Amino acid sequence: MPDELSTTPLHPGSPPNAPWWRDAVIYQVYPRSWADGDGDGIGDLAGIADRLPHLRHLGVDAVWFSPFYVSPQHDAGYDVADYRDIDPLFGSLADVDAMLAEAHDLGLKVIVDLVPNHTSSEHEWFQAALAAGPDSPERDRYMFRDGAGDGSRPPNDWKSVFGGQAWTRVTEADGQPGQWYLHLFDVTQPDLNWQNEEVREEFRSILRFWLDRGVAGFRVDVAHGLVKAEGLPPYSRRDHMLEQRTANSPYWDQEGVHEIYRAWRAVLEEFTDPERIMCAEAWVRPVERLARYVRPDEFHQAFNFEYLDTPWIAGEQRAVIAESLRVNDEVGAPATWVLSNHDVVRHASRFGLPQDEPRPNGISAQDRQPDVALGLRRARAATALMLALPGGAYVYQGEELGLPEHTTMPHEHRQDPTYVRTEGEEVGRDGCRVPMPWAKGEPSFGFGPSQSTWLPQPEVYGDLAVDQQVGVEGSTLELYRTLLRLRRERGLGRGSLAEVDGFADDVLAYVAGGTDAPTLVLANLGGEPVTIPDGAEVLVASGELAGRAVPTDVAVWATLPTRTT
Ligand code: NOJ
């Protein structure tokens, strides 16, 4: 511990009267897995409406729903067949309207998912493209090409993110093998042609459709993938689901995407009260490149996946936090912190794996198992650190319960197309998508009225159910509630951040400014306990303290001792 707290500034804080989204905490609901109203084993809007008060109780500002649109569900709804209607699995448009009203009554804003890179192959446009044949305006909305050579080979060597080649050949109306279409993801997810003006106009219209219904904004799927390089140059690398960010890729992070988002921003700005936002799902590296998506006339937010991907190693955490704030400040945008979502191994499990190895795409019973206790302890500390940082933050359903990944799911239950397309080489994302446990003693742990769940829940989810944690001192749920309350009261999301000098290298130490008195934030990633400076009063700790000592893998927030310089 240093004798005096001297600090190095990292971020000046948001401007006064900053809009709601600059420091919002947004909770991600994965509709299939949050709450099941009708007992068919798949979550739905009726279930969601019943459970929304949980989010009010938790203390988040908004909720983002992964897709609930009409879809054959080949990629859990990220294969949209109708962007303006709801899949009967989940309910109806009337149910969405009712849910929006309920959310607004609870003081929650609602963000919906927008999937512009590809449609479902069942979308009427794709069906029309198949019927219309080569060189038709219908085909021009997608990426159709003649095959190489005599037409029997794919037009180029691009690979699908989910495994296998990125092209599939169609059978033409005359029954003969014909053209090929591009699908960077599943064969049932044909890529749209974003050079086509009709495609652009259609998506601006879809934005208006949802904005008129009262949504506060959009999370934009594959925001870095819409535009493909002229001439579709060769590129044989397979950019894995979690590694879609190679600098010389002809389909990720092309310059042409930015004008699309500038046009969308103009649409959003036609709407006020509240200010409407869009958040980019863009797996772009390094963070400087990502910051280009949040320039003042583009996205409001972009998930900081570089941060999500950072191991629990002090030097790396320190560097990514400082660098993220720096590049966002340069364009006047808030940082957007995130630790888990429906595509990655839950952070309570990730942090229980060796931290010097790359993040796996799913964990199966055949793989090395995470250290559950260690993972949870670090996850709680990581969340306490994240929620102290200035900017917005996303929380993925179930992380407030400390849910681990389902790491022993029998393979026959797997539904992620990655598992099939990589022939089992990657188990994929089902383990983080398991239905939520609400009540230990009830069928499906209270997920729905029946025993049925579309993915099996591990036994341990019963002990972690909401009813086992509510009001229980020291539970992960109560920790999240306390962090969110203090974050709001102390204005941390819109405050400044400075690094405290003089602590050991493996301790992260910050002073977070805000609307109230500044907050001292300490996260101990080292092997030795760290002493909380004299005069600092502990506000919250992610784990048990030993007197005034912060043990390994624990984070605390405290008031600032008066002698800070
Ligand atoms: C990103 C989504 O989060 C993921 O779940 C989906 O499979 C791909 N985009 C394709 O839409």
Side-chain angles (χ1 to χ4, degrees):
M1 180 195 68
D3 287 341
E4 286 288 319
L5 294 188
S6 76
T7 59
T8 306
L10 293 178
H11 167 75
S14 285
N17 305 322
W20 69 271
W21 48 269
R22 290 190 76 96
D23 65 342
V25 178
I26 302 179
Y27 183 98
Q28 179 187 358
V29 164
Y30 194 64
R32 300 175 71 87
S33 300
W34 203 53
D36 177 16
D38 63 9
D40 67 353
I42 301 181
D44 50 37
L45 285 156
I48 288 171
D50 276 357
R51 294 295 189 187
L52 278 181
H54 172 73
L55 300 185
R56 172 63 190 253
H57 179 253
L58 185 60
V60 296
D61 303 290
V63 50
W64 148 40
F65 292 101
S66 279
F68 40 40
Y69 314 110
V70 177
S71 162
Q73 304 287 324
H74 292 302
D75 184 21
Y78 283 94
D79 47 328
V80 181
D82 184 346
Y83 291 84
R84 296 183 183 82
D85 205 354
I86 305 305
D87 199 284
L89 256 185
F90 300 118
S92 64
L93 266 182
D95 294 328
V96 171
D97 290 341
M99 186 272 288
L100 278 167
E102 160 91 5
H104 295 157
D105 282 351
L106 289 166
L108 296 165
K109 297 186 173 62
V110 173
I111 288 172
V112 293
D113 218 301
L114 187 75
V115 188
N117 180 66
H118 44 265
T119 69
S120 160
S121 50
E122 292 185 18
H123 190 284
E124 62 173 17
W125 273 10
F126 192 72
Q127 291 302 315
L130 291 180
D135 303 322
S136 59
E138 288 83 354
R139 284 220 172 159
D140 191 56
R141 295 167 179 152
Y142 291 91
M143 303 291 291
F144 279 88
R145 294 290 184 277
D146 294 331
D150 64 356
S152 65
R153 285 185 291 115
N156 70 18
D157 57 355
W158 294 4
K159 304 288 183 292
S160 157
V161 171
F162 290 159
Q165 61 189 20
W167 294 93
T168 290
R169 195 170 194 188
V170 302
T171 303
E172 303 294 359
D174 60 5
Q176 295 304 306
Q179 285 195 301
W180 299 70
Y181 67 90
L182 176 70
H183 51 89
L184 290 183
F185 294 89
D186 191 53
V187 59
T188 60
Q189 292 168 300
D191 280 53
L192 285 162
N193 171 17
W194 275 88
Q195 308 304 347
N196 178 304
E197 191 41 48
E198 214 186 332
V199 170
R200 293 186 180 220
E201 183 45 44
E202 172 67 356
F203 273 84
R204 291 192 294 265
S205 156
I206 293 166
L207 291 177
R208 289 199 175 87
F209 177 87
W210 288 102
L211 291 166
D212 280 335
R213 292 199 110 78
V215 306
F218 304 90
R219 172 268 187 192
V220 177
D221 193 62
V222 200
H224 58 318
L226 273 48
V227 172
K228 281 73 184 177
E230 191 69 40
L232 313 183
Y235 184 71
S236 60
R237 206 186 114 104
R238 173 179 162 235
D239 289 330
H240 185 270
M241 176 69 211
L242 318 167
E243 261 315 316
Q244 311 165 25
R245 42 175 105 179
T246 316
N248 59 354
S249 154
Y251 39 83
W252 304 133
D253 197 24
Q254 302 297 300
E255 193 54 36
V257 295
H258 294 285
E259 68 178 27
I260 297 171
Y261 301 130
R262 286 195 280 271
W264 290 9
R265 179 73 178 242
V267 172
L268 263 62
E269 288 184 356
E270 293 165 14
F271 295 78
T272 49
D273 195 24
E275 214 171 285
R276 315 300 169 97
I277 66 160
M278 44 186 196
C279 176
E281 189 231 12
W283 294 85
V284 165
R285 185 174 261 169
V287 282
E288 270 107 343
R289 289 296 296 184
L290 185 64
R292 303 176 79 245
Y293 288 74
V294 286
R295 289 176 290 192
D297 55 353
E298 298 191 35
F299 282 93
H300 301 74
Q301 305 179 322
F303 293 113
N304 187 346
F305 291 131
E306 191 86 27
Y307 169 72
L308 182 152
D309 257 342
T310 302
W312 189 240
I313 295 172
E316 298 194 34
Q317 291 276 333
R318 179 182 292 113
V320 76
I321 289 169
E323 185 63 1
S324 303
L325 291 169
R326 186 185 69 75
V327 298
N328 280 288
D329 282 342
E330 268 176 24
V331 292
T336 301
W337 310 102
V338 58
L339 287 166
S340 281
N341 66 27
H342 64 292
D343 288 329
V344 301
V345 171
R346 285 179 173 277
H347 68 283
S349 297
R350 230 162 58 221
F351 289 141
L353 291 171
Q355 293 300 288
D356 52 358
E357 293 176 13
R359 174 163 56 84
N361 187 6
I363 300 173
S364 80
Q366 285 75 49
D367 297 323
R368 177 177 27 203
Q369 295 296 297
D371 178 329
V372 175
L374 179 68
L376 179 58
R377 182 181 175 84
R378 289 177 172 171
R380 289 168 53 119
T383 300
L385 176 59
M386 174 178 88
L387 291 177
L389 299 176
Y394 279 76
V395 167
Y396 177 48
Q397 66 176 46
E399 67 168 85
E400 77 279 24
L401 306 177
L403 293 187
E405 186 85 357
H406 189 335
T407 57
T408 55
M409 186 183 293
H411 290 317
E412 70 260 24
H413 296 290
R414 298 201 183 280
Q415 306 214 11
D416 182 351
T418 313
Y419 178 68
V420 178
R421 291 187 62 93
T422 62
E423 295 169 352
E425 195 193 306
E426 286 174 28
V427 292
R429 303 161 293 171
D430 295 308
C432 63
R433 299 174 171 182
V434 172
M436 276 276 284
W438 295 90
K440 183 177 183 180
E442 292 180 19
S444 63
F445 299 137
F447 169 61
S450 74
Q451 289 288 0
S452 162
T453 56
W454 71 283
L455 290 172
Q457 298 165 302
E459 246 351 274
V460 62
Y461 274 31
D463 296 332
L464 296 169
V466 173
D467 75 339
Q468 301 299 294
Q469 301 200 38
V470 157
V472 176
E473 206 188 316
S475 71
T476 304
L477 179 56
E478 292 302 330
L479 171 66
Y480 269 70
R481 289 188 62 214
T482 305
L483 292 168
L484 289 166
R485 176 176 56 76
L486 288 169
R487 173 185 157 93
R488 186 188 298 259
E489 284 171 11
R490 301 178 75 82
L492 300 182
R494 44 188 63 200
S496 57
L497 196 77
E499 191 167 352
V500 183
D501 311 320
F503 279 89
D505 276 354
D506 44 18
V507 176
L508 299 175
Y510 298 104
V511 172
T515 50
D516 203 334
T519 305
L520 175 67
V521 180
L522 295 176
N524 184 2
L525 283 74
E528 297 298 320
V530 181
T531 306
I532 299 168
D534 286 345
E537 207 180 295
V538 174
L539 297 163
V540 61
S542 69
E544 256 183 59
L545 301 178
R548 290 190 68 76
V550 184
T552 300
D553 296 328
V554 170
V556 295
W557 297 3
T559 61
L560 208 58
T562 44
R563 63 200 169 121
T564 307
T565 56

